[in-house]
Amino acid sequence: MKRRDFLSTVPLAGLAGLGSAALPRTARAAAHAAPAGQVPAVQRFAVGDITVTALADGALHIGPEALIGIEAPEYEERMRAAFRDPATFPSAVNAFLIESGDEVIMVDAGTADAMGPDLGKMPQNLEAAGVAPGDVTKLLATHLHPDHVAGALSDGGAFFPNAELVVSETDRAFWTDAGNFSGAPEMVQSFAALAQNVVGAYSDRLTTFEGEEEVARGVSAVPLPGHTPGHAGYMITSGDDALLIWADIVHVAPIQMARPDVAIGFDVDPEQAVSTRQAILDRVSADRLMIAGSHIGFPGLANVAREGEGYRLVPAQWDYAL
Ligand SMILES: [Zn+2]
């Protein structure tokens, strides 16, 4: 059979007539009136009977000067090899929604208006996911940096009016002790002020943890110190499924996956951040454990494979079962 004849026998061939040329005039006009910009950046994944939804807040622009422990030529070469712009890297800022039993949990809250117009989109994506701020029962903070908790505030009050704030006691103690910041650079002082405002706004419903505690149904804290003293991930477990939200283990994936020894200027203790990163990369690659990163390109879920002296990310598949 010739291809032409074959096509004429396929019942679906009639669908060819559904191309845009066949649309009624009004439908075509409506398509052109679609708003500019992206559609909502919301993506759901099942972890056993728990649903995890990645919510984009936007992107933070990081330049090579922010990294510690890599020279410019190698930085540029690695970015070019990854088809990324060596001048500025849009590092994703992701928050995650966890629906576990009756609990509606946010892991981090984005930046609100604290870090510019390319960020602060978590609320519109949360709304697109069908969740109102008042529905959220718990806000699990990975740490108290502004790209994670500035979005927990709205007009100085709590953005999530009914949520309990859960954070590591180490991070709470560190950021709320003014003595840690006397003489610190202005940016760090502003980070501390924001952290104090967040803790203040939720002071009547604040829970802290130390070590690997269960903080919600199927969700346990995993201390990952270095980026901040109390920086923590959250392990989600249901049946045979698991996902580790590893927070700020990696900020510039095209560099730090291959070179986990490269730190970033935002690390409170860069040396400890490097050893924590090396340990967790070793663990998740050996255990074939899926991770979700606050700063891994949206939706931020991936597996980690060993490659040469370092590692590489293997992005998660779209969850067709949902
Ligand atoms: Zn961060």
Side-chain angles (χ1 to χ4, degrees), residues 157-174:
F159 177 72
F160 300 108
N162 303 314
E164 174 189 350
L165 173 64
V166 181
V167 64
S168 82
E169 174 54 25
T170 308
D171 235 45
R172 189 210 61 79
F174 175 74

Side-chain angles (χ1 to χ4, degrees), residues 46-49 236-243 289:
V47 179
D49 71 359
I236 303 165
T237 314
S238 175
D240 293 335
D241 274 4
L243 171 72
L289 177 62

Side-chain angles (χ1 to χ4, degrees), residues 32-33 53 81-82 85 119 139 146 176 183 222 248 263 274 295 313:
H32 284 288
T53 305
D85 181 356
L119 288 148
L139 168 60
T176 55
V222 179
D248 282 28
V274 165
H295 300 297
L313 280 174

